[in-house]
Amino acid sequence: MEVQYTDVDYLVFSDAASLMASGESPYKRTTYRYSPLLSFLLIPNSIIHCSWGKFLFSASDLLVGLFIHSILKLRKVPDDLCMYSVAVWLFNPFTFTIGTRGNCEPVVCAMILWIIICLLNGNVLQACILVWASCPF
């Protein structure tokens, strides 16, 4: 028996994005319990290609690596340790598989790290807006 590679939640995300693309609430999908921002980001799933979200999640994984590097540089961590830390994230097969299966965790990680960068740079208002945008209403 072949195991399906796509995460079940990815189908929920895609259905909610289709609803949002047609002008309806993503919460009409009974099992959708995420931020409307996520369904908005996945609208191209129903317009461009059904794997759009997987590419977005994989790109978010790369963004997490960039954000890890940025945070460590802001904290004045030595360059070699920064590179090792980024490599541990980017070359970890577990984290890589999560995004390519269609799980939104890389987007969540990127948002959290972006909020941390905003706070480290003193951009409290921007951090608050990001927190607000990620809340499920």
Side-chain angles (χ1 to χ4, degrees), residues 117-134:
I117 290 170
C118 289
L119 293 174
L120 287 173
N121 287 324
N123 299 328
V124 178
L125 181 61
Q126 186 179 4
C128 290
I129 291 169
L130 289 168
V131 169
W132 177 80
S134 63

Side-chain angles (χ1 to χ4, degrees), residues 42-124:
L42 268 61
I43 288 175
N45 264 17
S46 52
I47 299 169
I48 297 173
H49 194 274
C50 61
S51 293
W52 165 264
K54 292 181 180 186
F55 289 109
L56 178 70
F57 298 158
S58 297
S60 296
D61 217 8
L62 296 174
L63 196 59
V64 168
L66 178 69
F67 287 165
I68 289 170
H69 186 267
S70 297
I71 289 169
L72 294 176
K73 293 307 286 178
L74 284 169
R75 303 291 299 156
K76 300 191 182 351
V77 173
D79 287 339
D80 58 338
L81 188 55
C82 287
M83 295 314 294
Y84 291 137
S85 300
V86 171
V88 164
W89 178 266
L90 292 178
F91 296 113
N92 183 337
F94 180 73
T95 57
F96 177 77
T97 304
I98 288 173
T100 58
R101 284 189 67 225
N103 190 299
C104 70
E105 289 304 314
V107 173
V108 174
C109 291
M111 290 278 293
I112 290 169
L113 293 177
W114 190 6
I115 290 166
I116 291 171
I117 290 170
C118 289
L119 293 174
L120 287 173
N121 287 324
N123 299 328
V124 178

